[in-house]
């Protein structure tokens, strides 16, 4: 019985530990995806706000390059959201018309450590007149979610060990109970066979003496 337990319980503990690790990872992955989706939704709202103003001006005959109040609006939106690196207004030919980046330099050159979200603005005829691009910080959200991942791991590790131990103990008790039942069944069958043989021998002996 002990040999069976020593062979079975380590495998059972590995399965329980793997299930706990998978659950912790799925939890982390789900929270991480939801967190970055939430940030992207906030950035999309910023672009929608700028796009509404640009589209209104275009409908009134003012082209994006002529919207002189636009830079001030971009600067206010950038100051209001700490994650935003810059908001750029880009012409269809790729030229940056306005940007809220410090010094008037587009954040595109620093886009390697920033997320990028784009919204195309069209005129009343459906032709694109400009692209609105927001660059927002990648490092700060990543560091926050990494800290969350470390916290989940620190909580999941002892819980996984306890679950593996508890599961192994429960499996050991079940194996012990099954072993006892099997042993009783074998012993009862052995007794029955011996009784049958003894009766047959007695019967044969009786026949011969008679």
């Amino acid at each position: 019985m002990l040999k069976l337990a020593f062979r079975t319980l380590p495998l059972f503990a590995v399965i329980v530990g793997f299930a706990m690790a998978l659950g912790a990872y799925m939890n982390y992955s789900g929270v991480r995806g939801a967190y970055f989706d939430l940030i992207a939704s906030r950035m999309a709202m910023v672009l929608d706000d700028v796009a509404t103003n640009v589209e209104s001006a275009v409908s009134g005959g003012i082209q994006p390059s002529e919207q002189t109040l636009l830079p001030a609006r971009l600067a206010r939106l950038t100051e209001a959201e700490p994650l935003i690196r810059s908001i750029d207004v880009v012409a269809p030919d790729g030229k940056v018309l306005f940007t809220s980046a410090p010094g008037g330099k587009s954040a595109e050159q620093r886009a390697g450590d920033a997320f990028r979200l784009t919204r195309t603005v069209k005129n009343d005829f459906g032709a694109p007149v400009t692209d609105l691009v927001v660059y927002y910080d990648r490092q700060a959200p990543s560091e926050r979610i990494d800290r969350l991942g470390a916290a989940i791991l620190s909580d999941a590790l002892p819980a996984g060990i306890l679950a593996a131990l508890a599961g192994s103990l429960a499996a050991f008790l079940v194996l012990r109970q099954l072993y006892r039942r099997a042993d009783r069944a074998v012993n009862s069958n052995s007794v029955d066979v011996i009784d049958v043989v003894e009766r047959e021998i007695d019967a044969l002996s009786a026949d011969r003496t008679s």
Side-chain angles (χ1 to χ4, degrees), residues 182-201:
D183 185 63
R184 286 196 299 267
V186 170
N187 291 333
S188 62
N189 289 337
S190 299
V191 172
D192 293 340
V193 171
I194 293 173
D195 290 341
V196 171
V197 171
E198 288 180 349
R199 285 197 299 269
E200 292 294 333
I201 292 174

Side-chain angles (χ1 to χ4, degrees), residues 138-163:
R138 180 194 300 266
Q139 182 177 359
S142 297
E143 289 177 350
R144 293 192 188 102
I145 206 66
D146 287 343
R147 287 195 295 270
L148 174 63
I152 292 175
L153 178 61
S154 63
D155 293 337
L157 186 59
I161 294 174
L162 290 177

Side-chain angles (χ1 to χ4, degrees), residues 46-150:
V46 172
L47 289 183
D48 289 342
D49 180 66
V50 178
T52 299
N53 285 271
V54 174
E55 288 172 350
S56 298
V58 170
S59 297
I62 304 175
Q63 295 302 312
S65 59
E66 300 171 353
Q67 297 178 23
T68 56
L69 298 179
L70 191 55
R73 186 171 189 81
L74 299 180
R76 287 196 301 270
L77 291 173
T78 301
E79 292 175 359
E81 176 53 69
L83 289 179
I84 295 179
R85 297 283 186 83
S86 76
I87 306 174
D88 298 350
V89 179
V90 185
D93 60 2
K95 180 182 178 181
V96 177
L97 302 176
F98 304 109
T99 180
S100 64
K105 295 182 179 181
S106 171
E108 186 174 3
Q109 296 177 354
R110 304 186 303 278
D113 59 347
F115 291 110
R116 182 177 186 270
L117 194 63
T118 304
R119 165 76 183 273
T120 299
V121 178
K122 299 180 180 180
N123 58 22
D124 296 337
F125 301 101
V129 293
T130 190
D131 286 330
L132 304 177
V133 185
V134 60
Y135 295 94
Y136 58 99
D137 189 33
R138 180 194 300 266
Q139 182 177 359
S142 297
E143 289 177 350
R144 293 192 188 102
I145 206 66
D146 287 343
R147 287 195 295 270
L148 174 63

Side-chain angles (χ1 to χ4, degrees), residues 8-24 156-171:
T8 305
L9 295 184
L11 177 61
F12 186 81
V14 170
I15 293 174
V16 173
F18 177 77
M20 291 292 296
L22 181 61
L157 186 59
I161 294 174
L162 290 177
L165 293 176
S168 298
L169 178 60

